[in-house]
Amino acid sequence: MGEEASEREVLDRLERRALEHLMAYGSCAQSSLKALQDEFGLESAETLKAATAMPGVALRGDTCGAVIGPVMALGLAFGRDRPEDTQALMLTLQLASRFCRSFEEELGSCSCAGVQERLFGRSFNLTDPQQIQEFAAAGAAERCGVPVAAAVRIAGRLIMEARRQ
């Protein structure tokens, strides 16, 4: 029971941090990555900076930033730093694949446009100033917290599980 409670506490803390970071950064990719970096000691300012253009991959509706940030965190936690480390490669790919499947099950898609469809009933072209205003008016600041919270909880579970093994 104690391990379950502590895991739940970690996941709750991750979610709170991610939502705080979302308000500060306004970026699903950076907020989810930063929360996971803070919780699991994966600090890398350069990696966080690299996530700047990742929401929907440059706002094009491609891969959701709430997917990219945690996948980057999985790479920081378990990825390889030498080409010959195929064990780290396989573990990281396996975890990232599980993450994506779980995210899709929960939010219907790993694409920003698909997640928007689920959350808003439509997707927005975030490169169009008019649609950016519509997105904001539809409650983007609050609703985008849903995939961010789900993403850090899924990734947090996977990291804790993999570290126990």
Side-chain angles (χ1 to χ4, degrees), residues 143-156:
R143 289 188 186 184
C144 286
V146 171
V148 167
V152 296
R153 293 183 82 85
I154 294 165

Side-chain angles (χ1 to χ4, degrees), residues 32 36 65-67 70 99 103 106-107 146-156:
S32 56
L36 291 161
V67 170
F99 169 83
F103 188 89
E106 197 158 330
L107 287 143
V146 171
V148 167
V152 296
R153 293 183 82 85
I154 294 165

Side-chain angles (χ1 to χ4, degrees), residues 112-134:
C112 181
V115 170
Q116 288 178 37
E117 277 287 334
R118 172 69 66 92
L119 296 175
F120 300 94
R122 66 166 281 202
S123 64
F124 298 84
N125 175 355
L126 298 179
T127 62
D128 177 312
Q130 176 63 38
Q131 288 198 36
I132 290 172
Q133 289 179 343
E134 293 171 22

Side-chain angles (χ1 to χ4, degrees), residues 25-134:
Y25 286 96
S27 165
C28 46
Q30 287 181 304
S31 61
S32 56
L33 175 60
K34 178 77 171 126
L36 291 161
Q37 285 180 313
D38 292 348
E39 184 64 41
F40 295 109
L42 307 172
E43 284 304 315
S44 168
E46 291 79 19
T47 305
L48 184 63
K49 187 176 179 180
T52 299
M54 294 302 154
V57 184
L59 301 177
R60 296 170 30 93
D62 296 332
T63 306
C64 177
V67 170
I68 292 174
V71 168
M72 291 174 74
L74 290 169
L76 289 170
F78 303 105
R80 66 180 174 181
D81 54 8
R82 296 177 332 277
E84 65 274 6
D85 190 352
T86 57
Q87 186 174 2
L89 169 68
M90 295 312 293
L91 174 61
T92 306
L93 289 173
Q94 200 173 45
L95 291 169
S97 180
R98 285 178 57 199
F99 169 83
C100 289
R101 275 194 309 276
S102 295
F103 188 89
E104 272 182 332
E105 287 172 11
E106 197 158 330
L107 287 143
S109 178
C110 282
S111 77
C112 181
V115 170
Q116 288 178 37
E117 277 287 334
R118 172 69 66 92
L119 296 175
F120 300 94
R122 66 166 281 202
S123 64
F124 298 84
N125 175 355
L126 298 179
T127 62
D128 177 312
Q130 176 63 38
Q131 288 198 36
I132 290 172
Q133 289 179 343
E134 293 171 22

